[in-house]
Amino acid sequence: MYQLKGEHIGLRRRAALEIFRFQRDRLIKEHPLKALFWECTLRCNLNCIHCGSDCKKGAADSDMPVSDFLRVAEEIRAAVNPNNVLIIFTGGEALLRDDIESCGLELYKMGFPWGIVTNGMLLDERRLNSLLESGLHTLTISLDGFETEHNTMRGDIRSFRNAERAVKLLCRPEVSGEIAWDVVTCVTPMNINHLYRFREYLISMGVKSWRLFTVFPVGRAAGDVRLKLEPHDFRKLMDFIAQTRREGRIDCSYGCEGFLGGYEAEVRDNFYMCNAGITVSGILADGSIGACPSIRADLSQGSIYRDSFMDVWNNRYEKYRNREWAKKGICEKCTRFRYCMGNGMHLRDNDDNLLFCHLQRLSSEGI
């Protein structure tokens, strides 16, 4: 029977996956902290239909004081080389805080590279220059297709124009040479058929790096049928990314979620691995110590207000680092579990069941 590409893994790729698996196991044992997300606010100036976080236009809780976060940064700096830990401001919309620059400058003085994830609504020339002067190292901006699709996703008719303005500012040579930045696009049935034109549009502006991802069914996105790609469209997306990478005119990749079978190493620079709790940590708006902000809050490992961050990092995260518990449901007898480890932590529901499997999407008959 004919096998789809996602199902079939050739011998050479399987051998490479086995080598990577041993490297992954060693990395889990060592768990070097490489990235720290700070959910610096739950406030947001948009109302995106695919949002999986708890952000709101009018968040009830006040923002964490910068001094509380910097206290944790000082603890990290005393334990590891800060040059090796990227701190990423996220939210909500991080640029709603007017003290991002002062916090970023303090981190820069400590030796931490820092970056920000933004929807671009507030990223005008003045704000960008202010961020750059404060030591900005990386930036990710969301652009979910052309104007109609993007504004539908973001819930604001100004959203596309503001994000486009921000991207054009970032494309200026004096900026592109100073920081690492990329555009991230959420692929849905609304924009899947426009990807070739959208790619040309990004290239024409001067975008060098483009990440694509798909919706995971939590938060507002959980029951919205407009957002879910059918398996044939998901395979179409993988083929599009693989082709774009072969052409080499723009650095294109699929997001970090999900084992992709025969597409592994063709749509990303590395083999799949969920780094949450292994090299990636996170501090949520209420001070909880977790990992990727997309992971549900009850998987937090402690709090900066009652625990030592480094003690939590070094001695907890058992559920993240030993994934044997994930062998249930469709994962229980899956022959690819040794590579996938049960998919991303953000794709487990409150009962630890897998919300969906990327490999199953790529399969003609499931696993």
Side-chain angles (χ1 to χ4, degrees):
M1 184 183 72
Y2 171 72
Q3 281 189 313
L4 295 172
K5 188 171 186 177
E7 296 177 279
H8 178 68
I9 302 176
L11 289 176
R12 291 178 62 183
R13 187 161 302 172
R14 192 185 298 272
L17 280 166
E18 287 297 323
I19 293 171
F20 179 78
R21 187 170 66 88
F22 284 111
Q23 294 172 338
R24 179 199 66 206
D25 292 346
R26 183 176 62 193
L27 192 66
I28 292 172
K29 183 177 180 180
E30 296 172 354
H31 53 266
L33 181 62
K34 294 183 179 181
L36 174 67
F37 285 94
W38 180 30
E39 188 183 55
C40 64
T41 184
L42 291 177
R43 294 178 292 136
C44 192
N45 48 8
L46 293 178
N47 191 37
C48 304
I49 63 175
H50 64 302
C51 183
S53 79
D54 296 321
C55 63
K56 303 173 181 66
K57 284 198 171 184
D61 298 328
S62 58
D63 295 339
M64 180 190 295
V66 163
S67 58
D68 292 358
F69 180 73
L70 290 178
R71 175 177 56 81
V72 178
E74 287 282 10
E75 182 187 351
I76 296 171
R77 182 174 69 154
V80 302
N81 183 348
N83 297 162
N84 298 331
V85 182
L86 174 64
I87 294 178
I88 305 161
F89 295 84
T90 185
E93 171 51 43
L95 290 182
L96 284 171
R97 292 190 64 141
D98 58 12
D99 53 5
I100 289 295
E101 286 87 345
S102 61
C103 183
L105 185 58
E106 290 303 312
L107 293 172
Y108 176 78
K109 291 176 181 177
M110 290 183 198
F112 290 101
W114 66 274
I116 194 165
V117 179
T118 177
N119 59 35
M121 288 290 287
L122 301 176
L123 193 63
D124 56 17
E125 185 169 9
R126 182 201 64 79
R127 194 70 194 269
L128 177 58
N129 289 337
S130 177
L131 292 166
L132 292 171
E133 290 169 0
S134 302
L136 180 70
H137 185 74
T138 70
L139 189 146
T140 291
I141 188 161
S142 300
L143 196 58
D144 297 318
F146 291 112
E147 188 163 10
T148 299
E149 295 80 24
H150 181 87
N151 289 346
T152 299
M153 295 277 286
R154 300 284 162 175
D156 191 308
I157 61 172
R158 304 167 298 164
S159 179
F160 177 82
R161 291 303 176 192
N162 284 18
E164 182 186 54
R165 173 196 64 193
V167 170
K168 288 180 177 178
L169 288 171
L170 291 164
C171 285
R172 295 180 304 176
E174 63 270 26
V175 176
S176 286
E178 189 170 345
I179 64 171
W181 66 275
D182 63 356
V183 168
V184 62
T185 298
C186 180
V187 181
T188 70
M190 287 184 277
N191 61 19
I192 183 73
N193 293 320
H194 306 315
L195 289 180
Y196 286 93
R197 285 198 303 118
F198 192 63
R199 179 184 66 190
E200 300 309 310
Y201 158 76
L202 293 177
I203 292 173
S204 71
M205 281 198 294
V207 175
K208 304 296 185 185
S209 185
W210 183 28
R211 277 184 296 139
L212 300 100
F213 70 100
T214 46
V215 169
F216 52 97
V218 299
R220 296 177 200 146
D224 197 326
V225 296
R226 295 174 296 174
L227 302 176
K228 181 182 177 182
L229 288 182
E230 295 299 326
H232 68 278
D233 276 337
F234 189 61
R235 292 192 292 270
K236 182 192 297 185
L237 172 61
M238 295 301 108
D239 288 333
F240 169 80
I241 295 173
Q243 179 198 25
T244 301
R245 287 171 64 85
R246 288 193 297 270
E247 290 179 1
R249 294 186 299 133
I250 186 171
D251 182 8
C252 179
S253 64
Y254 184 61
C256 61
E257 62 179 71
F259 179 72
L260 302 170
Y263 287 102
E264 285 295 315
E266 288 196 15
V267 296
R268 287 184 288 238
D269 292 340
N270 303 303
F271 290 120
Y272 167 72
M273 177 178 173
C274 179
N275 283 293
I278 299 170
T279 63
V280 175
S281 185
I283 297 175
L284 301 183
D286 65 356
S288 297
I289 302 171
C292 167
S294 297
I295 297 170
R296 67 181 197 267
D298 65 349
L299 285 173
S300 65
Q301 302 296 295
S303 169
I304 66 168
Y305 294 114
R306 64 173 184 268
D307 301 303
S308 157
F309 175 86
M310 288 307 301
D311 180 64
V312 170
W313 177 253
N314 287 323
N315 298 302
R316 300 188 192 175
Y317 288 93
E318 173 66 18
K319 196 164 188 175
Y320 291 79
R321 295 168 185 170
N322 181 353
R323 299 288 295 276
E324 288 301 306
W325 59 266
K327 282 187 175 180
K328 56 184 295 187
I330 64 172
C331 295
E332 185 175 5
K333 297 181 180 179
C334 178
T335 58
R336 308 302 191 216
F337 185 88
R338 63 196 289 113
Y339 308 131
C340 178
M341 301 301 292
N343 216 316
M345 290 288 287
H346 67 296
L347 290 176
R348 294 282 164 171
D349 67 15
N350 292 334
D351 297 316
D352 288 334
N353 295 311
L354 186 62
L355 294 172
F356 74 86
C357 171
H358 291 72
L359 189 60
Q360 193 173 51
R361 271 184 170 182
L362 294 168
S363 170
S364 57
E365 299 177 355
I367 299 175

